[in-house]
Amino acid sequence: MRTILFTGKGGVGKTTLAAATALRAAGLGYKTLVMSTDPAHSLSDAFDWPLAAEPQEIEPRLWGMEIDAQRELEVHWGEVRKYLSTLFASQGLEDIVAEEIALLPGMDELVSLLNIKRFHDEGEYEVLIVDCAPTGATLRLLNFPDIARWYMKRLFPIHRRIVAAARPVARHLLPFPLPDEEVYDSIADFYLQVGALKEILTDPQMTTMRLVLNLEKMVLQETRRAFTYASLFGLNVDAVLVNRVLPEEVTDPYFAEWKTAQEGYLGEVQSSFAPLPVFILRLFAREVVGRQMLQEVASVLYADRDPTQVFFQAPPLRIEKVNGNYALWLKLPFITKAEVNLYRSGEELIVRAGAHKRHVFLPQALAQRPVAGARFEGMNLVVTFGGK
């Protein structure tokens, strides 16, 4: 199943472009589902068609849905949330406060994204278009399987057995509850589910991300940041979509400064994201609502190209062998040397870029080799490994 994720700063029009892309894909004969994981749903408004928490047919070969994040939380995190709420409440927190802090930041978005795995497993659709919320917290949580792998393999089974043995006695002695087996089952299942989701999202032939932006300074900076962290966490960005560009026929002096600013920012976009393809969509004279307008958007945006194709593919991480030694290349666009910290911890290479970090679990060929050096080449951090 071809999966395309649309993300961007709030208000740039990513929902509109996701809807238009889905409509074009269905028109080309692909059985297509477009779904929104953004808590501020507006997919129904874009289509001018009522959508629900399960796929609703919009027209032949096209279905749409707006995910109910609370329902997804109950399905995937309900047992853990219930236990954490009880634990926090037992320590004196008010019930409503305990329930709120029992959720990790971005958890509602992450459990919504688990629907990607669901539809991938079911195999009913050929194309899945996802209208995402801004993805910072979600991308960090996608690294949960990497961070938790050592604990889940080594300590989790031991911890589970100890708690099971202690539970009958501890419930009478401890001032807080111990987790029961359902909580452990839920954690293990969540770990496996997110791990499988990450495999789907980081397969560059199956899944790509498209960044939507307007030609404004703050939006451009946010888009650069999104590209950096998508690369850091292994997602393939295959296109940048520039929305609401003032067309040439707008000659009113009132917009002169806007046009000049947009021309400058467009040059920055094309140079900053090269060699990614940049798609440009003009500002329409009226509001883009309904399928007829979405069809027009898709025609202008993609012309005669199939929007389901992978427009660009370059692995964000690769390993090469040179003169008997190895070099690991990690794409880190828009990050300077001063912003990167690099260190080893056992079989892990830990890369901190700005406020984010990634745990890179090294293959056997590198795990026993010392780091010999690191350097930047263009947008790539190159880490070299010496002999054993």
Side-chain angles (χ1 to χ4, degrees):
M1 183 179 69
R2 176 75 171 97
T3 301
I4 307 172
L5 311 175
F6 283 77
T7 191
K9 191 174 175 62
V12 297
K14 61 183 176 58
T15 299
T16 297
L17 300 195
T21 302
L23 198 60
R24 167 61 70 88
L28 292 174
Y30 300 104
K31 189 173 183 182
T32 303
L33 171 64
V34 56
M35 70 179 190
S36 171
T37 64
D38 191 334
H41 293 306
S42 53
L43 201 56
S44 294
D45 298 327
F47 283 109
D48 197 21
W49 190 268
L51 297 176
E54 288 296 324
Q56 308 290 312
E57 187 171 11
I58 299 171
E59 61 176 46
R61 297 185 299 277
L62 178 62
W63 283 258
M65 64 182 291
E66 293 181 330
I67 291 173
D68 183 344
Q70 290 302 313
R71 189 179 75 170
E72 299 298 325
L73 282 168
E74 191 59 36
V75 170
H76 298 288
W77 197 245
E79 288 295 331
V80 181
R81 184 181 186 181
K82 188 186 305 179
Y83 166 70
L84 292 176
S85 298
T86 303
L87 175 64
F88 296 147
S90 73
Q91 301 306 299
L93 288 179
E94 294 182 11
D95 289 346
I96 186 66
V97 176
E99 285 194 23
E100 286 299 311
I101 65 173
L103 289 176
L104 296 173
M107 181 63 76
D108 51 350
E109 169 80 353
L110 182 57
V111 296
S112 297
L113 286 174
L114 286 174
N115 280 273
I116 294 174
K117 181 183 180 300
R118 166 195 164 188
F119 292 118
H120 178 271
D121 292 344
E122 292 175 357
E124 185 176 350
Y125 301 97
E126 296 172 277
V127 176
L128 175 63
I129 307 294
V130 186
D131 172 30
C132 298
T135 54
T138 305
L139 289 177
R140 286 195 296 272
L141 283 172
L142 284 178
N143 230 31
F144 166 76
D146 291 344
I147 297 169
R149 184 180 297 150
W150 185 87
Y151 170 77
M152 293 298 293
K153 286 185 175 181
R154 291 172 174 82
L155 289 187
F156 181 78
I158 298 172
H159 188 272
R160 185 172 188 169
R161 288 197 295 270
I162 291 173
V163 170
R167 192 180 295 118
V169 177
R171 68 164 52 100
H172 301 294
L173 300 176
L174 296 178
F176 56 85
L178 291 177
D180 56 26
E181 286 300 304
E182 286 76 12
V183 173
Y184 283 105
D185 287 341
S186 183
I187 293 172
D189 181 66
F190 185 73
Y191 167 76
L192 294 174
Q193 292 275 332
V194 176
L197 171 65
K198 185 178 179 182
E199 287 186 12
I200 295 170
L201 294 182
T202 54
D203 183 336
Q205 296 181 328
M206 182 187 305
T207 304
T208 60
M209 175 176 281
R210 292 181 186 166
L211 303 175
V212 182
L213 73 151
N214 301 150
L215 294 175
E216 301 173 15
K217 183 176 182 178
M218 291 178 61
V219 176
L220 178 55
Q221 288 296 92
E222 180 68 23
T223 308
R224 285 173 171 155
R225 191 174 297 113
F227 185 36
T228 293
Y229 296 124
S231 300
L232 181 65
F233 293 109
L235 279 77
N236 180 41
V237 177
D238 76 332
V240 176
L241 311 182
V242 182
N243 193 22
R244 300 177 186 144
V245 178
L246 288 170
E248 291 183 5
E249 55 266 31
V250 175
T251 58
D252 191 310
Y254 182 84
F255 295 101
E257 287 193 33
W258 272 110
K259 292 191 72 173
T260 300
Q262 285 197 344
E263 288 169 3
Y265 289 133
L266 183 56
E268 286 191 44
V269 169
Q270 291 169 329
S271 61
S272 293
F273 294 98
L276 282 177
V278 176
F279 293 79
I280 299 174
L281 184 70
R282 71 174 189 270
L283 177 66
F284 283 79
R286 59 192 179 95
E287 186 179 13
V288 178
V289 174
R291 281 170 282 172
Q292 183 176 345
M293 284 299 298
L294 291 173
Q295 292 274 19
E296 187 175 346
V297 165
S299 297
V300 174
L301 187 63
Y302 295 110
D304 58 353
R305 286 171 288 195
D306 182 341
T308 68
Q309 73 181 88
V310 177
F311 291 116
F312 182 80
Q313 183 177 329
L317 185 151
R318 73 179 191 273
I319 298 171
E320 296 178 350
K321 189 173 184 179
V322 182
N323 299 324
N325 292 325
Y326 289 90
L328 182 148
W329 293 64
L330 181 65
K331 186 171 69 175
L332 292 178
F334 313 122
I335 288 290
T336 65
K337 182 179 179 180
E339 295 176 279
V340 174
N341 288 310
L342 181 72
Y343 52 99
R344 284 282 292 271
S345 177
E347 299 178 357
E348 298 177 58
L349 181 69
I350 303 172
V351 182
R352 182 180 290 276
H356 296 254
K357 70 177 179 179
R358 179 179 179 182
H359 293 241
V360 180
F361 282 81
L362 299 172
Q364 195 63 36
L366 301 184
Q368 304 304 318
R369 294 172 178 263
V371 174
R375 68 185 187 276
F376 263 96
E377 288 194 14
M379 290 186 177
N380 297 289
L381 173 67
V382 184
V383 183
T384 56
F385 293 81
K388 294 183 180 179

